[in-house]
Amino acid sequence: MAERVVVEIRDGVADVRLNRPEKLNALDGPMYRALVDTCGEIRKQPAVRAVVLSGEGRGFCAGLDFTAFQTMAGDRAASSAMAENVASRKGANIGQRAVAGWSELAVPVIAAIHGPCLGGGLQLALGADIRFVAPDASLSAMEIRWGLVPDMGGSLALARLVRHDVAKELVWTGRTVSGAEAVHLGLATRQEADPLAASLELAARIAGRSPDAVRAGKRLLTDAVGRTPDEQMALERQESSALVGTSNQIEAVTASFEKRSPLFRDPA
């Protein structure tokens, strides 16, 4: 069996690709486990400063493997992406872990989306911090077609990214939206002719910034809407104070004045 996920790390950027192109990178048990394991490995590597998540072949991810779905159709306990944990009802299921791992990484994650990005594939993309979409991208919360609801954290991500009425419409209808409409609705950051190239370029730019400040920025902005203004202002003060006078912060200033590329230390 070919590796479900392949990773190449270069100059601080982890280029992560779903690698099941013959199935449009459809999600099955090995794919879920590979996604979880990949996040775990990246988390251990302080030299990684940004991640690009994409799919090989004709699309980002077509969602749940339909063959696997048919196999599970007669087994209610296995009919969801969270087959590993559904029986106990405790803790995150493997599908939720496969998505949450990207948002929980300390570094920025950019999803490069082309072609189909459906069901669990959309939920996976929503776990990224930024999403670039191709003009030919097609996005859908399509679980309703199988009598299901998003079960990989998609309901939370949708509610944070788009208006509640829009989230409900997408979940209740399972309709497909284009790359342009995804940007309009707030599902995607912007449309790019070549989202992978644009994502890698942005990741390289981020990797050239102070990794301490980048990580602080992710902590500061993630879940900001869930904090009170006082809590957010307190976190700003905390993160800013922790950066001032550190070696990477001093190097950022020095390199800027000397008009050279900075040489940052990897976080501990």
Side-chain angles (χ1 to χ4, degrees):
M1 182 183 296
E3 288 184 83
R4 286 290 195 265
V5 176
V6 294
V7 183
E8 180 181 358
I9 299 174
R10 182 182 300 172
D11 298 329
V13 175
D15 182 355
V16 180
R17 305 195 189 198
L18 280 63
N19 188 38
R20 203 183 179 208
E22 72 284 359
K23 293 286 188 179
L24 280 173
N25 300 311
L27 300 165
D28 62 358
M31 180 71 88
Y32 286 123
R33 288 189 288 275
L35 288 165
V36 172
D37 291 345
T38 299
C39 276
E41 288 303 313
I42 291 174
R43 192 174 292 114
K44 298 174 185 176
Q45 301 188 53
V48 172
R49 298 182 181 181
V51 176
V52 173
L53 180 62
S54 66
E56 294 281 18
R58 296 184 294 111
F60 179 76
C61 176
L64 183 64
D65 185 310
F66 191 69
T67 302
F69 180 80
Q70 287 179 312
T71 300
M72 295 188 296
D75 182 354
R76 185 178 178 184
S79 64
S80 136
M82 39 193 182
E84 289 189 4
N85 294 330
V86 72
S88 68
R89 304 289 181 183
K90 294 179 181 179
N93 62 62
I94 192 169
Q96 289 170 334
R97 297 203 309 274
V99 170
W102 306 100
S103 60
E104 292 170 355
L105 284 177
V107 299
V109 179
I110 307 162
I113 302 167
H114 73 291
C117 180
L118 311 173
L122 175 59
Q123 295 185 77
L124 178 60
L126 296 180
D129 299 293
I130 292 170
R131 283 158 295 282
F132 288 168
V133 291
D136 72 343
S138 55
L139 297 82
S140 172
M142 65 185 298
E143 287 79 8
I144 192 70
R145 302 183 195 182
W146 317 124
L148 298 170
V149 294
D151 59 358
M152 295 166 58
S155 60
L156 179 60
L158 283 169
R160 287 173 172 170
L161 287 170
V162 304
R163 296 195 329 246
H164 280 194
D165 58 330
V166 172
K168 291 174 182 177
E169 184 234 347
L170 294 175
V171 169
W172 288 338
T173 65
R175 75 178 181 89
T176 299
V177 302
S178 66
E181 186 179 4
V183 174
H184 174 72
L185 294 176
L187 287 174
T189 309
R190 68 175 187 248
Q191 184 171 289
E192 292 283 353
D194 186 339
L196 179 56
S199 296
L200 290 170
E201 180 182 0
L202 176 59
R205 288 177 59 193
I206 292 171
R209 301 296 187 181
S210 167
D212 297 334
V214 169
R215 290 174 178 229
K218 181 161 181 174
R219 290 191 297 267
L220 189 62
L221 293 171
T222 300
D223 297 327
V225 295
R227 303 185 189 104
T228 67
D230 284 347
E231 288 171 337
Q232 187 66 18
M233 295 303 104
L235 186 58
E236 275 192 4
R237 295 191 297 272
Q238 175 184 321
E239 295 288 2
S240 182
S241 297
L243 292 170
V244 173
T246 60
S247 60
N248 279 343
Q249 191 268 321
I250 293 171
E251 172 63 6
V253 174
T254 303
S256 180
F257 276 111
E258 294 179 354
K259 302 187 186 311
R260 59 172 175 81
S261 297
L263 297 173
F264 294 119
R265 297 180 180 177
D266 293 330

